[in-house]
Structure formats: C-alpha cells, structure tokens
Amino acid sequence: MSTLRLAIVGAAGRMGTSLLQNIADTPDLEVAAAVVRPKDLVLDALGPQQITPTTTLSTDEVDLVIDFSTPSACLEVASICARSKTPLVSGTTGLSPKELQELTKLSENFALLHAANFSVGVNLLARLVEEASRAFGDTADIELFEAHHRHKVDAPSGTALLLGEAAARGRNLRLHDVAAWSRQGHTGPRADDEIGFQVLRGGDIAGEHTVYFCAAGERLELTHRATDRGIFARGALRAARWLVHQKPGAYSMADMLFGE
Ligand code: NAD
C-alpha cells in the first residue's frame, strides 16, 4: 500500500491537532509538513508524530494539502496548490462569496474539495432538509439554530449556511434573498419566505445544528450534534483519499458521498 503524503495547514489549531492525532492511527497516511503561523513556532514539535512545524507551505514531496486555517490563508494555500497542481482539501469557513468565487476559479488547475462540514451526518442532514423543504413548500416557516464553542470567529457557522442553502433550494429560493440573519426590536411579522438564523456561542460545544419546519398544527425539527471534532478530521481524511484520484476542478462532500 502506498502512503499518501499530506501537508497540514493550521497544524497548531484545534482541527490541525485532531488531524495529527487521527493520522497517527492510519498507516496509509503520513504528515510530510505541518504548517503553522510564526507565533506557533514556539511549539517545537506537533502531534503524536512529533513533527517539526514550518511556516511556509512547499508542495514538493507532498501528494495533497489539508487546510483548516483562516479565509486569507486558505486562498494563499489554494494559489500555491494551483501553481503546483496539488490537490487541496479545505475545511476553512467564513469565506465571503467573493473569496469563494476566487477559490473556485483557482480550482480550474487542481482538484479541490472545500466543505463547511466534513461529517457524514451533516451532509445527510442537508439532503433531508432539502427534501423536507420541498415537501412542506410554503406551508412551513423555516428557522435554523446553531451552537458552537466560545472560540469560533464566524457566524452563522458555515454549516448553518450550507443547511440554509439546502432549505432554500428545496423551495426554489436563493438564501441571500430570504435570510433573516438577526432580529431585534419592532421587526413586524415574519415574511412568508424568510429563513431565520439563531446563533449560540459558549463553552466547548463541538457543533449543533437544528432546522425547524414550523407549519400550522405540526413542527418538524431535524438536528445534528457533533460530540467530538474527530468526526471532521476523519471526514477530511476520507475526502483526501478520494480527492487524490480526481481530475482538476471543485468538488463537494455530496460528490464524494453520493457520487453526484
Ligand atoms: P483554530 O483557530 O483552532 O485553528 C486555526 C489555525 O490556523 C490557528 O493555529 C492559526 O494560527 C492557523 N493559521 C492561520 N493562518 C495560518 C497560515 N497562514 N499558515 C498556517 N497556519 C495558519 O480553528 P479551528 O477550530 O481549528 O478551525 C479552523 C477552521 O476550520 C475554521 O474556519 C473553522 O470554522 C473550520 N472548521 C471546519 C470544519 C469542517 O468540518 N469543515 C470543522 C471544524 C472547524
């Protein structure tokens, strides 16, 4: 069995740490580079493998890059991958629509799988949400709730946006036309097509999402709870094993899981 040599960008972060731990248990994967910000160089060795970190990404001797960092770092990494045609799995969230467009444009030159959530459960949930939204049509009001740990810097979560887009698609709507990102004061009654978002931040919550379909006389609640961020790391590693065999272009978790 040949080993897949990975560069991990954001290796000193929460997801980077979880990736290094999960890779240590997998004989078919190897960490070729652990890329961190200069401030994290105080850590002289990372993960169970005791990898010496570096501050610059080189794709020499690397089969695939995995990035869990920040939007600006993600785009820098994508440019490097585009130049060297190295596949990239990225889970970084909080990219603006313009940054997402830039990322997709860059991926004409390399295989990219960018996903707001690498858990199988959430990607199945997105399918169920689209189906429920289509079935209820305009007979149900759609609301989303998400909760994450106190360190999370973007809101609503990338996963909440992914679920909101699935709900909007089921009703042939565009999320950005109908999203109610916050409510306060004299808001007036709810618009029929509105998709509302509620956000909680606190403690060490790994990630919870509920999509509500509130109809007259009944309410459907579809919930996913992550209890360990290892599910995202293992999902990203599964994506890496799949992506390395794909042609250049932008792929989604649905492409991998459902062959779309
Ligand atoms: P974190 O803040 O713990 O880690 C991010 C790390 O990236 C930090 O150590 C930071 O110093 C580092 N970093 C920033 N710029 C860098 C650069 N240029 N080079 C190298 N390292 C750099 O955050 P986290 O909880 O690990 O999450 C990281 C990202 O992944 C966030 O956007 C988060 O929302 C997202 N996330 C996605 C999923 C998913 O399944 N897609 C799951 C969890 C988190």
Side-chain angles (χ1 to χ4, degrees):
M1 178 174 40
S2 65
T3 311
L4 198 59
R5 296 165 304 170
L6 304 172
I8 310 294
V9 179
R14 279 175 290 270
M15 281 304 300
T17 303
S18 181
L19 280 164
L20 292 179
Q21 273 159 3
N22 278 277
I23 293 168
D25 299 334
T26 50
D28 63 324
L29 303 174
E30 173 192 322
V31 182
V35 186
V36 303
R37 277 204 298 204
K39 73 172 178 57
D40 291 320
L41 270 185
V42 286
L43 307 163
D44 52 10
L46 295 176
Q49 304 89 336
Q50 292 291 286
I51 309 280
T52 305
T54 164
T55 54
T56 45
L57 172 64
S58 159
T59 52
D60 300 344
E61 316 286 319
V62 162
D63 299 313
L64 183 141
V65 179
I66 301 187
D67 156 70
F68 281 85
S69 58
T70 61
S72 59
C74 168
L75 284 172
E76 277 170 38
V77 168
S79 304
I80 295 170
C81 289
R83 283 198 292 275
S84 60
K85 301 195 186 309
T86 309
L88 169 65
V89 167
S90 174
T92 299
T93 64
L95 279 80
S96 67
K98 192 165 167 269
E99 288 171 325
L100 283 170
Q101 256 179 13
E102 205 177 317
L103 188 62
T104 308
K105 175 88 184 116
L106 283 168
S107 72
E108 287 169 6
N109 294 319
F110 66 101
L112 164 76
L113 198 160
H114 180 253
N117 195 304
F118 280 100
S119 97
V120 174
V122 158
N123 286 281
L124 278 171
L125 175 61
R127 291 211 131 192
L128 297 174
V129 165
E130 183 171 344
E131 188 128 333
S133 173
R134 191 168 293 120
F136 275 114
D138 62 6
T139 66
D141 295 327
I142 304 174
E143 294 282 311
L144 271 106
F145 166 79
E146 63 105 332
H148 278 89
H149 54 86
R150 66 200 315 279
H151 305 288
K152 186 159 178 65
V153 295
D154 53 318
S157 68
T159 303
L161 297 177
L162 179 151
L163 295 172
E165 273 156 12
R169 227 172 14 253
R171 292 257 289 259
N172 291 322
L173 299 168
R174 280 160 32 116
L175 180 62
H176 280 270
D177 296 338
V178 293
W181 301 117
S182 64
R183 298 185 181 109
Q184 193 199 11
H186 185 79
T187 59
R190 186 187 197 288
D192 287 344
D193 284 343
E194 204 160 274
I195 297 181
F197 287 78
Q198 278 80 41
V199 174
L200 181 154
R201 291 286 174 266
D204 63 354
I205 302 169
E208 293 190 15
H209 295 85
T210 298
V211 185
Y212 297 84
F213 294 90
C214 307
E218 63 175 333
R219 182 167 84 233
L220 175 66
E221 298 178 11
L222 298 174
T223 295
H224 179 270
R225 287 193 185 93
T227 51
D228 170 6
R229 63 174 52 82
I231 57 159
F232 308 126
R234 289 189 290 277
L237 296 178
R238 179 173 167 182
R241 290 188 184 95
W242 178 82
L243 189 69
V244 80
H245 301 295
Q246 309 306 317
K247 295 192 188 111
Y251 298 90
S252 67
M253 281 295 280
D255 293 324
M256 180 183 85
L257 292 172
F258 312 117
E260 288 169 347

